[in-house]
Amino acid sequence: MNYNWNWGVLFEEQYLDWLISGVGWTFAVALSAWVIALIVGIMIGVGRTLPTKPIAHICAAYVELFRNVPLLVQLFLWYFVMPEVVSDDLGRWMKRDMPNPEFVTAVIGLGLYTASRVAEQVRAGINAVGGGLVSAAYAGGLSTAQTYRFVLLPIAFRLIVPPLTSEFLTIFKNSSLALTIGLLELTAQSQQIAEYTFQGFEAYTAATVIYVVIALGATLISHILEKHTRIPGYVGKG
Amino acid sequence: MDNLDLSVIIDNLPFLWQGLQISLSLTALAVVGGIALGTFLALMRLSGFGPLSWVAAGYVNLIRSVPLILVIFWFYFMVPLALGRPIGSFYSALIAFVMFEAAYYSEIIRAGIQSVRKGQVHAGKAIGLSYWQIQRYVVLPQAFRNMIPILVTQAIVLFQDTSLVFVVSLRDFMTASSIVARTEGRLAEMYLFAALVYFTICFAGSIFVRRLQRAKTA
Amino acid sequence: MISIENVSKWYGDFQVLANCTSKVDKGEVVVVCGPSGSGKSTLIKCVNGLEPVQRGTITVEGTEVTAKRTNLTKLRSRIGMVFQHFELYPHMSVRENLCLGQQKVLGRSRDEANAKAEALIDRVDMLAHIEKFPGQLSGGQQQRVAISRALAMDPIAMLFDEPTSALDPEMINEVLDVMVELAQDGMTMMVVTHEMGFARKVADRVVFMDAGAIVEDRETEAFFGNPESDRAKEFLSKILNH
């Protein structure tokens, strides 16, 4: 193995700037997409558990559709195909005038894709609460909306903190796919540094370390959340 | 959008089929390699011998923290360097996928092993089997039977993941579709077709998983 | 108060209720008993519409539970129900469990709800535990809280679905005592239970069910003194002779 080590390359101003800017875009894409994923995912997940059959079926179809097409294909559909299928004016605007098209596309694509995964967790959480408690809520005169608002959702969210953390981490990892539509996030920047400097080992190590730190941070937040939301004496479905 | 030209798909079917074959063989080989290495990692982790289980845990947690694309870049860079010669993008990609998926498979397998009741291990010990014999003849057969649906689900995820070899231009189905899309200037047709093909295969796979699960609980 | 007329119910092909007819008058206590799988729990869940029925009518205070246009939510807020597994909201303290329905359904103020909660919890000797969560209480304590939660809504009738069958033996009496007191205060009650001592003590009538049908529906004394059907005789001999 013949390799010239040069860790100093990471601290040269130009490449350090690239890395920092990459981290910035990774966070921007992941966090913005997470907001969409949570909002849409919760709606779809709750929808799947509703007694109204048409709504439940539509939500189930959403999950199947978004889960069974690779995220990469979805991003390309949003980026290359969407402007073609909308009205001419809107398509022209998307191609020419939409600000930051790579970023917007990545956020929407990643957000709606992750929503299908969040929806599955939300549904599993609601189902884990158990029918007895739902009967009790209805018997106590709560409406369906109140039963979700005061009983099902507060318990379900506590149950799904760990799997949701894992999804939160996954959205950071999946944000790397934005590089395929030209967004220079962390992975793309490390690849670019590797190409410019031939110091692939250093460049990829830098990106790896940053992703590991993000993962550790997410795990830490998860532990704090879990501790904070633990229900005294409650051990899940009885 | 009014003029979708489907002939572009038909004209290029042989080329796309070649791509799909690469995607499918990459998936198949990576599933086999990933499960083999994953089982090994899971057994290391549960061995009860400190250094072994730390190494396995460290590897699994490291791989699970980073994006697959970065892992693919890593191995594209590392493998030729380590071997001193290029080995072609298919094998670089295959090694990357095996190493990456093994981390995910090992967590599934670890959970599967832990789901086998302790009494089974005690019963094995009671008739004098060694640790590895107990794993081989008692624990793993039961664990794998329980895990089959999840392992298949993970294989479906892996099949979708293979589309990411796009970033190193290995001509899988995704890359092939993209090449046709660009050279023929037919982005909408080709990407919608790619989505349809992936959806059909993965949806069929998930129905198969559901059937497996029903067979298991019945 | 509660009237059940010719009620039948199926799960798919399987008939769980067969032409059941009975009633509970105001201030009356009716015990429903029978072997497991006889449909008694299903029947009581039909009374407040938790389970739909395919045939027959159930009315509570003139409101037809089985009619499509009935506002079930409103009706349920006036009927208390106690479950086998307590079903207290695990993420809420005892106090919050008692206040939720009062505030969100009946629209009472927080102070009003709190005052009512404290008074009811005091009556079942649980005032010291009012800030605790259900998971921190014993089964008997949880069931007493569950009864108070139902009473906080000022119900016109109470339904009990096997309220003591999930309890350890030493906790059964603390719950039955609360129920006896309630019966003696004149509450209208429909109780699914195997506790024949409780039935003898406070029930006005006993309904005996088997295989989804009501086999006997008689005054308590008559039922225990001289059951008519062989099935009731057999059931009583099994449950009493040990």
Side-chain angles (χ1 to χ4, degrees):
Chain A
M1 193 160 132
N2 210 345
Y3 190 79
N4 296 315
W5 298 96
N6 180 8
W7 291 98
V9 74
L10 295 176
F11 299 99
E12 282 171 28
E13 199 178 336
Q14 182 190 3
Y15 302 128
L16 189 61
D17 281 350
W18 285 5
L19 273 181
I20 292 171
S21 139
V23 172
W25 281 115
T26 290
F27 268 87
V29 170
L31 294 179
S32 318
W34 184 243
V35 173
I36 295 181
L38 272 188
I39 295 172
V40 178
I42 290 169
M43 290 194 318
I44 301 283
V46 169
R48 281 196 83 172
T49 66
L50 286 179
T52 325
K53 284 287 167 237
I55 296 181
H57 288 317
I58 291 171
C59 294
Y62 178 98
V63 171
E64 292 299 343
L65 187 63
F66 280 81
R67 261 180 20 150
N68 286 314
V69 175
L71 175 56
L72 179 60
V73 180
Q74 293 186 32
L75 283 181
F76 279 18
L77 286 177
W78 290 114
Y79 193 67
F80 297 115
V81 180
M82 202 58 181
E84 310 291 334
V85 298
V86 294
S87 73
D88 284 353
D89 287 344
L90 184 57
R92 209 168 301 129
W93 178 81
M94 286 170 80
K95 277 193 247 180
R96 270 202 234 136
D97 303 324
M98 189 168 80
N100 247 330
E102 296 85 11
F103 174 73
V104 173
T105 309
V107 167
I108 291 176
L110 184 56
L112 293 180
Y113 167 80
T114 309
S116 69
R117 302 170 57 109
V118 170
E120 281 301 89
Q121 305 296 354
V122 170
R123 177 176 76 118
I126 290 173
N127 287 343
V129 174
L133 221 45
V134 178
S135 290
Y138 285 145
L142 297 186
S143 64
T144 304
Q146 286 175 322
T147 301
Y148 273 87
R149 162 81 182 75
F150 298 114
V151 181
L152 279 176
L153 292 181
I155 302 172
F157 280 125
R158 286 168 165 94
L159 294 177
I160 62 175
V161 165
L164 273 192
T165 315
S166 148
E167 288 306 327
F168 182 64
L169 197 54
T170 304
I171 214 169
F172 270 92
K173 291 185 277 178
N174 279 339
S175 70
S176 63
L177 267 73
L179 71 84
T180 61
I181 53 171
L183 186 79
L184 290 173
E185 44 64 70
L186 179 54
T187 301
Q189 292 288 17
S190 70
Q191 156 79 349
Q192 191 165 258
I193 294 173
E195 271 178 10
Y196 268 67
T197 64
F198 300 104
Q199 304 298 142
F201 204 94
E202 292 82 346
Y204 295 140
T205 300
T208 302
V209 168
I210 294 170
Y211 280 114
V212 169
V213 169
I214 293 174
L216 290 175
T219 314
L220 190 70
I221 294 174
S222 164
H223 282 313
I224 294 171
L225 264 180
E226 262 181 87
K227 212 179 205 172
H228 201 73
T229 57
R230 188 168 295 148
I231 303 168
Y234 183 60
V235 285
K237 194 171 188 173
Chain B
M1 192 60 196
D2 354 281
N3 42 358
L4 271 183
D5 178 11
L6 296 181
S7 66
V8 66
I9 296 168
I10 305 190
D11 292 345
N12 288 287
L13 268 185
F15 182 65
L16 294 169
W17 170 237
Q18 277 181 359
L20 190 58
Q21 283 176 309
I22 290 192
S23 299
L24 291 172
S25 35
L26 190 57
T27 304
L29 292 172
V31 165
V32 173
I35 289 179
L37 184 57
T39 307
F40 187 65
L41 284 168
L43 289 178
M44 271 173 78
R45 202 155 172 195
L46 296 171
S47 66
F49 178 59
L52 264 189
S53 67
W54 295 329
V55 168
Y59 177 80
V60 169
N61 287 329
L62 173 68
I63 292 287
R64 284 163 56 91
S65 302
V66 294
L68 174 55
I69 294 186
L70 184 58
V71 175
I72 293 175
F73 283 153
W74 258 120
F75 281 93
Y76 257 67
F77 165 74
M78 284 285 287
V79 170
L81 204 65
L83 295 176
R85 62 187 173 85
I87 56 163
S89 40
F90 182 81
Y91 289 102
S92 288
L94 178 59
I95 293 172
F97 273 94
V98 168
M99 303 298 283
F100 182 80
E101 298 294 337
Y104 289 82
Y105 272 120
S106 93
E107 286 296 275
I108 296 172
I109 293 162
R110 185 165 69 111
I113 290 175
Q114 285 173 327
S115 75
V116 177
R117 282 182 300 114
K118 262 258 147 56
Q120 294 286 312
V121 178
H122 294 319
K125 276 185 188 157
I127 60 165
L129 295 179
S130 72
Y131 172 79
W132 293 104
Q133 284 175 320
I134 292 173
Q135 297 301 329
R136 165 74 185 78
Y137 296 108
V138 180
V139 175
L140 287 178
Q142 298 185 49
F144 272 105
R145 206 160 301 152
N146 294 336
M147 285 182 305
I148 286 171
I150 310 181
L151 292 176
V152 178
T153 302
Q154 184 64 23
I156 298 170
V157 172
L158 205 168
F159 175 62
Q160 294 189 20
D161 281 349
T162 58
S163 64
L164 294 186
V165 298
F166 174 83
V167 299
V168 289
S169 309
L170 173 61
R171 283 199 186 169
D172 75 318
F173 180 66
M174 182 64 201
T175 313
S177 305
S178 165
I179 290 171
V180 175
R182 273 157 215 280
T183 52
E184 307 263 357
R186 288 286 170 190
L187 298 177
E189 289 85 346
M190 289 317 299
Y191 290 136
L192 284 171
F193 177 67
L196 182 71
V197 170
Y198 278 112
F199 179 83
T200 308
I201 295 173
C202 297
F203 188 61
S206 69
I207 288 174
F208 176 63
V209 170
R210 244 168 272 167
R211 199 160 302 161
L212 282 176
Q213 277 165 333
R214 220 171 302 145
K216 215 177 79 179
T217 47
Chain C
M1 164 95 47
I2 299 170
S3 114
I4 301 166
E5 280 170 55
N6 299 317
V7 165
S8 294
K9 177 179 172 67
W10 289 264
Y11 287 128
D13 290 338
F14 181 68
Q15 186 162 18
V16 278
L17 293 177
N19 225 14
C20 296
T21 301
S22 187
K23 66 182 174 68
V24 183
D25 287 332
K26 192 169 164 51
E28 211 177 17
V29 176
V30 172
V31 161
V32 183
C33 62
S36 60
S38 59
K40 51 196 192 306
S41 278
T42 308
L43 181 68
I44 201 171
K45 281 179 184 148
C46 292
V47 172
N48 64 352
L50 284 179
E51 295 275 2
V53 303
Q54 277 85 39
R55 206 180 288 163
T57 47
I58 297 174
T59 45
V60 177
E61 275 265 278
T63 310
E64 203 176 311
V65 182
T66 41
K68 263 217 159 77
R69 58 196 145 62
T70 302
N71 184 343
L72 278 180
T73 305
K74 186 153 186 225
L75 177 87
R76 285 174 186 146
S77 69
R78 304 172 63 208
I79 309 171
M81 186 161 196
V82 175
F83 296 83
Q84 181 177 3
H85 295 286
F86 333 129
E87 310 298 356
L88 292 174
Y89 308 131
H91 59 306
M92 294 180 180
S93 67
V94 168
R95 180 193 293 280
E96 289 164 330
N97 263 280
L98 266 76
C99 288
L100 180 71
Q102 293 191 67
Q103 290 180 252
K104 303 298 173 189
V105 178
L106 302 180
R108 287 180 185 154
S109 73
R110 176 197 287 254
D111 290 344
E112 212 179 336
N114 265 323
K116 180 107 191 167
E118 282 164 22
L120 284 167
I121 279 300
D122 194 23
R123 250 178 67 184
V124 295
D125 290 327
M126 291 286 295
L127 198 52
H129 304 286
I130 196 163
E131 307 302 346
K132 284 191 181 165
F133 287 84
Q136 299 168 310
L137 303 175
S138 73
Q141 290 175 322
Q142 289 192 58
Q143 198 59 300
R144 284 185 281 156
V145 172
I147 294 172
S148 307
R149 176 177 70 177
L151 291 174
M153 304 292 283
D154 291 320
I156 55 172
M158 289 279 285
L159 309 174
F160 292 83
D161 183 12
E162 306 208 29
T164 57
S165 36
L167 295 175
D168 291 335
E170 74 272 20
M171 295 173 183
I172 289 176
N173 280 331
E174 63 187 79
V175 172
L176 288 180
D177 288 347
V178 173
M179 291 168 63
V180 168
E181 206 176 301
L182 202 56
Q184 285 163 351
D185 285 352
M187 174 60 78
T188 308
M189 293 162 66
M190 185 167 171
V191 185
V192 173
T193 185
H194 291 297
E195 296 295 332
M196 291 301 123
F198 170 81
R200 274 208 154 118
K201 196 162 173 186
V202 297
D204 297 294
R205 285 197 349 270
V206 175
V207 171
F208 174 73
M209 291 183 71
D210 190 27
I214 293 181
V215 181
E216 296 205 27
D217 182 350
R218 306 171 61 203
E219 310 266 297
T220 307
E221 284 308 309
F223 177 76
F224 285 108
N226 182 25
E228 279 173 353
S229 63
D230 290 342
R231 279 183 286 182
K233 276 179 201 156
E234 194 191 329
F235 175 75
L236 281 176
S237 73
K238 272 184 190 156
I239 190 164
L240 295 176
N241 289 354
H242 54 72

